[in-house]
Amino acid sequence: MTIHLPQGPYEPRATPLDLAPGTGPLASRTVFSAAHVVADPYADISPDSPAAVDWDATLAFRRHLWSHGLGVAEAMDTAQRGMGLDWAGAAELIRRSAAEARAVGGRIACGVGTDQLTGPASLAEVRSAYEEQLALVEESGAQAILMASRALAAAAKGPEDYLETYAHLLRQASEPVVLHWLGPMFDPALDGYWGSSDLDTATDTFLKVIAEHPDKVDGIKISLLDAEREIDVRRRLPGGVRCYTGDDFNYPELIAGDDRGFSHALLGIFDPLGPLAAHAVRVLDTGDTQGFRDLLDPTVELSRHLFQAPTRFYKTGVVFLAWLAGHQDHFTMVGGLQSARSLPHLAKAYELADRLGLFPDPELAESRMRTLLAVNGGNGGTR
């Protein structure tokens, strides 16, 4: 039955893709999905209150990702870190998810930041905040991802402050970590990270941190939405240091790679694309690069739509698709972020995801889309 979306009439597909969980881990690439959190819709809170999380649904979604062979990147930007989820909530999320990972044998890496700092901070306070979070992540048994810090961006006077801070943290880390460079399109407070707004200069500082401590860096995650820069950085990494793409615009070509190397993945778009992404990498595991591209290239339109400016609100589309796919019973987000995207934006996300066959139950997705239209548009998708 035709559903009338703001962009026009659409005929939903009848059957989903067959994306049953695979067997065994992915082989040719290490792939993490940065996972969202599920809010508790019945919590009597305001947007300024600490996040109320539905822990059962949140952990069930992580088990879904692990069942397909994906790793989980926990307490990252996709989990609304710093946009509804404070450090107390992130710490609880890390503890619970790491315990769940141990129980099911899933791979997990967790974000280490400085978001317990609530105001201007000195470099010493930034370092102490990082140390507190690093200790918690390591105690949980998860791999650490050193996230870009708003507090460090505000406190640092130049590249040397970044070099000294990261050198100290890498010496403290008991196991190799992932370094995360998140661009200002995801968080405007991170403009000028690594001590310069000139990306060439910032890149040189970033690479110097790695070159001075290659034994403590498992890999890097670059989220700048700049494929050429990622490839350039990837080719300049010391041997044994991985590049995990965070480019939600160009991930198929970056993961496929070229004759001089490839990127692994740590992506927010692999939250809604999880099963399809895992299937595509299993195809790549066989050496079929074209088959991999044939599966993932068509998903880029959806990803570019979800991550369109203002990019930091992509989480709204991610959670919306999780609701349509049946991974949660409501479209409510911590911090009230479900209101951050327009009805036409969400309707287009539904159409693009449905065309890809991402919804395990297309009828459920259609019904929920009609409900959203009825609540917000008044006609329930019929005219």
Side-chain angles (χ1 to χ4, degrees):
M1 182 184 296
T2 300
I3 180 170
H4 290 273
L5 302 172
Q7 63 269 28
Y10 172 66
E11 190 72 28
R13 65 182 290 160
T15 58
L17 290 177
D18 182 9
L19 297 171
T23 57
L26 308 180
S28 62
R29 305 290 189 272
T30 300
V31 181
F32 289 96
S33 166
H36 73 280
V37 294
V38 183
D40 177 356
Y42 294 113
D44 185 12
I45 58 175
S46 72
D48 294 331
S49 301
V53 177
D54 181 336
W55 293 112
D56 289 342
T58 294
L59 295 177
F61 187 76
R62 282 135 183 80
R63 291 193 297 272
H64 155 72
L65 294 171
W66 284 319
S67 74
H68 286 272
L70 299 166
V72 168
E74 188 57 277
M76 301 290 290
D77 190 52
T78 307
Q80 293 181 244
R81 190 80 179 265
M83 287 186 70
L85 188 71
D86 61 11
W87 166 235
E92 183 68 11
L93 179 63
I94 289 166
R95 294 187 190 97
R96 288 176 180 258
S97 292
E100 197 73 16
R102 290 194 300 273
V104 304
R107 182 165 185 166
I108 188 168
C110 298
V112 171
T114 62
D115 44 329
Q116 67 269 58
L117 300 173
T118 57
S122 67
L123 287 173
E125 290 169 329
V126 169
R127 189 172 68 185
S128 178
Y130 263 129
E131 289 175 332
E132 176 189 353
Q133 295 198 17
L134 178 61
L136 184 146
V137 169
E138 291 190 334
E139 288 167 5
S140 77
Q143 184 179 16
I145 302 170
L146 293 186
M147 301 170 66
S149 161
R150 294 174 181 173
L152 179 56
K157 303 302 182 185
E160 288 302 322
D161 288 338
Y162 288 89
L163 291 170
E164 292 175 7
T165 299
Y166 277 89
H168 176 85
L169 294 171
L170 290 172
R171 287 194 296 267
Q172 293 291 313
S174 60
E175 300 291 339
V177 307
V178 176
L179 296 181
H180 185 193
W181 184 359
L182 192 70
M185 68 288 294
F186 289 94
D187 187 343
L190 299 177
D191 187 35
Y193 212 74
W194 304 110
S196 177
S197 295
D198 178 82
L199 287 180
D200 290 337
T201 302
T203 297
D204 288 343
T205 303
F206 181 53
L207 288 169
K208 187 175 181 181
V209 170
I210 300 162
E212 292 179 352
H213 308 276
D215 59 323
K216 285 297 187 75
V217 181
D218 164 72
I220 62 168
K221 168 178 160 59
I222 305 177
S223 298
L224 299 176
L225 306 182
D226 183 340
E228 290 186 6
R229 182 166 299 276
E230 177 174 321
I231 292 169
D232 174 66
V233 172
R234 187 174 76 195
R235 291 174 177 171
R236 296 166 64 186
L237 292 174
V241 177
R242 305 178 188 184
C243 180
Y244 294 93
T245 186
D247 189 331
D248 300 279
F249 283 6
N250 303 292
Y251 50 93
E253 64 185 86
L254 292 165
I255 297 170
D258 54 33
D259 58 358
R260 296 178 60 183
F262 58 83
S263 295
H264 300 271
L266 197 166
L267 287 162
I269 192 56
F270 281 4
D271 179 303
L273 292 184
L276 178 54
H279 176 60
V281 174
R282 292 187 191 280
V283 171
L284 187 60
D285 289 346
T286 70
D288 184 0
T289 302
Q290 188 57 54
F292 166 83
R293 293 294 300 267
D294 289 345
L295 286 164
L296 272 198
D297 282 358
T299 69
V300 171
E301 184 181 4
L302 170 63
S303 188
R304 286 177 175 260
H305 177 72
L306 295 181
F307 284 79
Q308 68 182 225
T311 301
R312 63 189 181 277
F313 294 127
Y314 76 88
K315 299 94 163 171
T316 301
V318 166
V319 174
F320 172 65
L321 294 180
W323 173 56
L324 295 184
H327 294 298
Q328 54 194 80
D329 294 331
H330 58 85
F331 179 39
T332 303
M333 298 176 67
V334 299
L337 207 65
Q338 67 273 10
S339 64
R341 291 295 202 189
S342 68
L343 184 62
H345 177 91
L346 297 175
K348 185 63 176 179
Y350 160 73
E351 178 184 344
L352 293 172
D354 186 69
R355 289 188 187 280
L356 292 168
L358 294 183
F359 301 128
D361 184 344
E363 290 186 2
L364 175 65
E366 179 187 346
S367 174
R368 289 183 169 181
M369 187 68 236
R370 289 185 185 277
T371 298
L372 187 74
L373 290 167
V375 170
N376 292 281
N379 59 39
T382 61
R383 290 178 181 167

